[in-house]
Amino acid sequence: MSAVNANKWTFKMTPTRYVLAALGLLGAVLMLYRLVFGLGSATNLNDHWPWGLWIGFDVLTGVALAGGGYSTCLLVHVLRVKKFTPIARSAMLTSLIGYLLVMAGLFMDIGRWFNFWRPFVSWGYTSVLFEVFWCVSLYTMIQLLEFGEIATEKVQKPWHGFFKKIMPVLFIIGIVLPTLHQSSLGSLYVIEVGKLYPLWWSMLLPVFFLMSSFFVGPAMVTVETLLGSRAHGHKVDLGVLQSLIKVSGYLMLVYLVLKIVDLYYRGATGLVFGGNLESNMFLLEMVAGIIIPLIICFTPGLRKTTAGLATFSVLVVAGVIINRMNVVFTGMAKSSGGFYFPSFIEWAVSIGLVATGVLGYLFIVENFNILQGHQTGAKPLVKEKKATNQAVKYSA
């Protein structure tokens, strides 16, 4: 991995980054407004819809999309699949930023936000939300400690040895914790029996949430790797990404079979082609987010192209987003009654958080050793290095 200039901090502003900065600033201002004037003045939440965009997208969806960290960590550091090492750091960085944004979104949704500290001292251990709160908080802290190994390569270097020594312990804890809260987020809706539409309600919801968080991880890593390669000009090993999406593909295949068996066992298969909004959204989720990506994954001619990799990954990510939105909104619409559509402030805060996360990722990539073959402040020298190595070999 190329060395990063130990003394120089760089972050070149471009038109796109100015737009992201403006969106992030707007989101920050509106977050402050929400904290001062309350949920009622900032959101369209009501007694029928106490959970809206900030929970549905920022938290439930955000936690799933940030699953690339623990899935990649499992593959690289526990199962020792070394071919995935080049993307390990970027995957874990994306996950860290994702969880920080999840915590921010969750904080925005707390009615009396100044009481955010109470779960630390008031142990409601029979509550699923209590378990989710603790697991997400602890996992975010673990990821910050894991980032310490990268950070101390440039700053506070005397601490680098300490962080390297504790990394194995952090890896193990950092794999266990997500399996708990990823599944527990599904458990939140198991208790909605009779309220959540049968196409989504299932006793297997915790399993489905956990599996989807794992198979969307490699897809999310592929998306950000391809985008990062364009933004920073580093070379991407397509062979690594092809192997990575096959991991997703095999788990998605199991997920699909389990979904079909579950629907048949519960007698809900007749609802799939009902022609109503719920059935159409379910079909969109399954066809666009599962079946088409599976066809791409197991068709070598499609999987081995950059376009195929990008299409697979975007569809899988979109499929998981649709799934979470279906569970939170589509599946609960009839039983909840009333009407809810996110306010401008809700949209602006969510978009601002995403924009801030993208800027944070770009800044860290440009100043720390994250991308293999990428040198901060310069174009990658992959071809030049190969030519030099060949010249040395022949001259010898």
Side-chain angles (χ1 to χ4, degrees):
M1 197 171 288
S2 302
V4 174
N5 191 315
N7 301 314
K8 186 178 179 181
W9 297 89
T10 62
F11 191 63
K12 182 180 178 181
M13 292 300 294
T14 64
T16 300
R17 295 182 184 186
Y18 278 117
V19 172
L20 291 173
L23 292 173
L25 180 60
L26 175 62
V29 171
L30 293 177
M31 288 171 73
L32 181 62
Y33 174 87
R34 173 266 174 272
L35 295 177
V36 173
F37 295 100
L39 282 172
S41 63
T43 73
N44 284 337
L45 299 174
N46 51 63
D47 290 342
H48 295 286
W49 290 96
W51 282 1
L53 183 67
W54 291 342
I55 291 294
F57 181 77
D58 296 8
V59 178
L60 266 73
T61 304
V63 165
L65 298 183
Y70 86 93
S71 58
T72 305
C73 184
L74 175 64
L75 292 170
V76 174
H77 299 291
V78 175
L79 300 180
R80 299 290 182 178
V81 185
K82 294 301 182 183
K83 69 169 68 176
F84 297 136
T85 300
I87 51 90
R89 284 192 169 192
S90 61
M92 295 174 71
L93 172 62
T94 304
S95 180
L96 168 60
I97 293 174
Y99 270 85
L100 290 174
L101 299 182
V102 166
M103 294 294 285
L106 184 59
F107 185 71
M108 286 296 99
D109 203 74
I110 300 175
R112 297 185 176 184
W113 57 269
F114 41 82
N115 287 329
F116 76 92
W117 54 272
R118 289 192 178 274
F120 290 108
V121 296
S122 179
W123 286 67
Y125 52 85
T126 59
S127 168
V128 176
L129 273 175
F130 175 77
E131 186 270 345
V132 171
F133 170 84
W134 265 97
C135 278
V136 171
S137 301
L138 289 173
Y139 183 50
T140 304
M141 183 184 70
I142 291 296
Q143 289 187 103
L144 286 169
L145 291 173
E146 289 174 344
F147 183 73
E149 183 196 16
I150 299 173
T152 52
E153 291 174 349
K154 182 167 183 174
V155 297
Q156 299 295 322
K157 293 182 180 179
W159 285 91
H160 187 65
F162 167 76
F163 280 104
K164 286 187 69 70
K165 288 180 181 179
I166 66 173
M167 286 302 284
V169 176
L170 296 178
F171 286 148
I172 297 300
I173 299 175
I175 291 171
V176 173
L177 287 175
T179 63
L180 299 177
H181 64 254
Q182 295 282 4
S183 58
S184 294
L185 288 171
S187 299
L188 290 173
Y189 285 87
V190 170
I191 63 175
E192 298 295 337
V193 57
K195 294 183 178 181
L196 181 60
Y197 199 74
L199 285 174
W200 292 284
W201 184 89
S202 170
M203 287 299 294
L204 294 179
L205 259 179
V207 177
F208 291 143
F209 266 51
L210 177 60
M211 292 179 69
S212 59
S213 74
F214 195 95
F215 68 64
V216 79
M220 193 68 186
V221 171
T222 301
V223 169
E224 63 95 4
T225 300
L226 292 175
L227 290 176
S229 68
R230 295 188 63 180
H232 297 103
H234 74 280
K235 184 179 180 181
V236 176
D237 188 342
L238 294 183
V240 172
L241 298 183
Q242 290 162 17
S243 298
L244 193 63
I245 70 167
K246 285 181 70 176
V247 174
S248 281
Y250 284 116
L251 190 56
M252 288 168 64
L253 190 59
V254 176
Y255 176 90
L256 177 61
V257 172
L258 198 58
K259 273 276 192 181
I260 295 172
V261 171
D262 177 64
L263 288 170
Y264 180 78
Y265 177 78
R266 293 187 292 107
T269 51
L271 298 174
V272 174
F273 300 100
N276 55 4
L277 174 64
E278 288 85 357
S279 64
N280 290 336
M281 290 301 295
F282 181 79
L283 286 173
L284 176 64
E285 168 192 329
M286 297 305 296
V287 173
I290 301 293
I291 296 175
I292 295 178
L294 281 174
I295 294 173
I296 295 174
C297 179
F298 295 109
T299 305
L302 297 175
R303 186 183 70 244
K304 293 182 178 180
T305 65
T306 303
L309 289 170
T311 303
F312 170 91
S313 302
V314 169
L315 286 177
V316 171
V317 170
V320 170
I321 293 174
I322 296 171
N323 169 257
R324 297 303 194 264
M325 295 298 99
N326 279 339
V327 170
V328 178
F329 299 115
T330 311
M332 295 292 293
K334 284 188 177 180
S335 63
S336 296
F339 177 79
Y340 165 79
F341 188 81
S343 68
F344 169 76
I345 293 179
E346 290 177 86
W347 284 112
V349 167
S350 294
I351 293 171
L353 287 173
V354 173
T356 302
V358 173
L359 286 174
Y361 176 86
L362 293 171
F363 176 81
I364 294 173
V365 164
E366 292 181 12
N367 290 279
F368 295 93
N369 286 323
I370 302 295
L371 304 177
Q372 189 174 47
H374 170 67
Q375 186 175 17
T376 300
K379 293 286 186 180
L381 303 178
V382 177
K383 293 182 179 180
E384 288 81 356
K385 286 182 178 179
K386 286 184 178 179
T388 302
N389 291 338
Q390 289 177 352
V392 172
K393 179 180 177 180
Y394 292 139
S395 62

